[in-house]
Amino acid sequence: MFNFSFDKKTMYIIAGVMLLAVIVQYIATPQALIILLLTAPGVLVAITFHEFAHGYAAYKLGDDTAKNEGRLSLNPFDHLDPIGTLMLLVAGFGWGKPVHVNPTKYSRKMTMEKGEAIVSAAGPLMNFILAIVLAIVMFGVAKATNTAIIMSDFGFLISASNITIEIIVKILLYAVTINIGLGVFNLIPLPPLDGSKIIMPFLPYKAKRWFINNEQIFYIIFVVMFVTRISGMIISPIIDGISSGVFSLGKLIFRM
């Protein structure tokens, strides 16, 4: 997901300060701590499958770097970055431990640039697929247990027959939104996010060279957007729109 070309410690310090501020807010609100626990499974699934998808895509293109480093695994501990995971947990966006790839090993049936775009797109695509699957499972559970899930502008109202079913449905609900959030966040076309590699094959030659030569500027822009939370304001409407569509699909399938 991430491939830092600037001082990684700087990013961790910034993220750590933001994280501390958010944690203080959570401690002051007991209800928020409960939500935090319910989102944890979704975070583990989202990051694990995202990073696995990067490594698997690279492997299918001929690069065995991720395989040799033990990253073709669905064990969460092989993929979790401490700060990035906590940021995703409490702030709704974050990152995992980057999967190392070697584009020179990619199949010669395509350019290295296109190969990198495919590998980069695999992570967000996996998150969107997971979101759809989990939404279908969520509404399937709700249908089987006569649980009502009411969507409104203010969120979701879940009416279940018992607390266990309600918790399961909520965990699935948060897992869907976390996966969509992680997928959308990584599609922002700024280094070090996946989107910066995905757009490369589509840029004109001069624009591509300018983008590469000024990559450090984009890193600075990203850090500013990250610290000021502008990135969150930009992608929140997109996340909400996609989430609405995914949940509507689940409801349609089960005629709820």
Side-chain angles (χ1 to χ4, degrees):
M1 183 192 305
F2 272 131
N3 182 21
F4 291 100
S5 67
F6 60 96
D7 186 3
K8 196 173 182 179
K9 291 182 180 179
T10 301
M11 189 64 191
Y12 275 0
I13 291 172
I14 294 171
V17 172
M18 293 177 63
L19 181 61
L20 183 60
V22 174
I23 288 176
V24 170
Q25 294 177 2
Y26 272 88
I27 292 175
T29 312
Q31 183 66 26
L33 285 174
I34 295 175
I35 295 175
L36 190 66
L37 293 175
L38 295 177
T39 58
V43 168
L44 294 177
V45 169
I47 289 181
T48 299
F49 277 82
H50 182 107
E51 298 301 339
F52 168 81
H54 283 316
Y56 184 74
Y59 180 70
K60 296 301 288 185
L61 288 179
D63 177 21
D64 59 358
T65 304
K67 181 177 183 297
N68 293 336
E69 293 183 353
R71 300 301 299 280
L72 292 188
S73 163
L74 292 178
N75 180 351
F77 295 103
D78 291 333
H79 304 289
L80 300 183
D81 176 280
I83 297 294
T85 300
L86 287 171
M87 285 299 297
L88 184 60
L89 191 62
V90 302
F93 57 88
W95 56 88
K97 186 168 34 173
V99 170
H100 297 132
V101 298
N102 184 355
T104 62
K105 292 185 176 181
Y106 292 162
S107 168
R108 289 295 177 260
K109 294 180 181 179
M110 66 181 68
T111 64
M112 287 192 294
E113 188 177 77
K114 288 182 179 179
E116 283 193 288
I118 291 172
V119 171
S120 296
L125 179 60
M126 175 63 81
N127 289 128
F128 295 138
I129 293 173
L130 269 176
I132 293 172
V133 171
L134 291 170
I136 292 173
V137 171
M138 182 184 74
F139 282 103
V141 170
K143 183 77 171 181
T145 58
N146 293 317
T147 298
I149 303 176
I150 302 172
M151 295 184 290
S152 71
D153 294 336
F154 303 100
F156 290 83
L157 176 63
I158 299 172
S159 177
S161 57
N162 61 69
I163 188 65
T164 301
I165 297 300
E166 182 178 345
I167 289 174
I168 291 172
V169 172
K170 283 185 176 180
I171 287 174
L172 289 167
L173 171 64
Y174 292 132
V176 172
T177 55
I178 284 289
N179 270 282
I180 293 174
L182 185 62
V184 172
F185 179 66
N186 274 277
L187 288 179
I188 296 176
L190 290 174
L193 300 174
D194 296 327
S196 63
K197 297 279 178 56
I198 295 172
I199 66 168
M200 274 298 174
F202 304 100
L203 294 177
Y205 178 77
K206 289 185 177 180
K208 193 179 302 181
R209 297 314 307 170
W210 185 87
F211 192 94
I212 294 173
N213 293 335
N214 294 278
E215 193 174 70
Q216 200 66 28
I217 296 176
F218 289 104
Y219 275 91
I220 295 172
I221 293 173
F222 169 76
V223 171
V224 171
M225 291 179 63
F226 184 80
V227 172
T228 60
R229 300 192 179 183
I230 292 176
S231 57
M233 291 186 287
I234 293 174
I235 66 176
S236 288
I238 301 173
I239 294 173
D240 291 342
I242 296 176
S243 298
S244 178
V246 169
F247 288 128
S248 295
L249 174 63
K251 289 187 66 175
L252 180 64
I253 291 174
F254 292 98
R255 300 179 183 276
M256 293 180 67

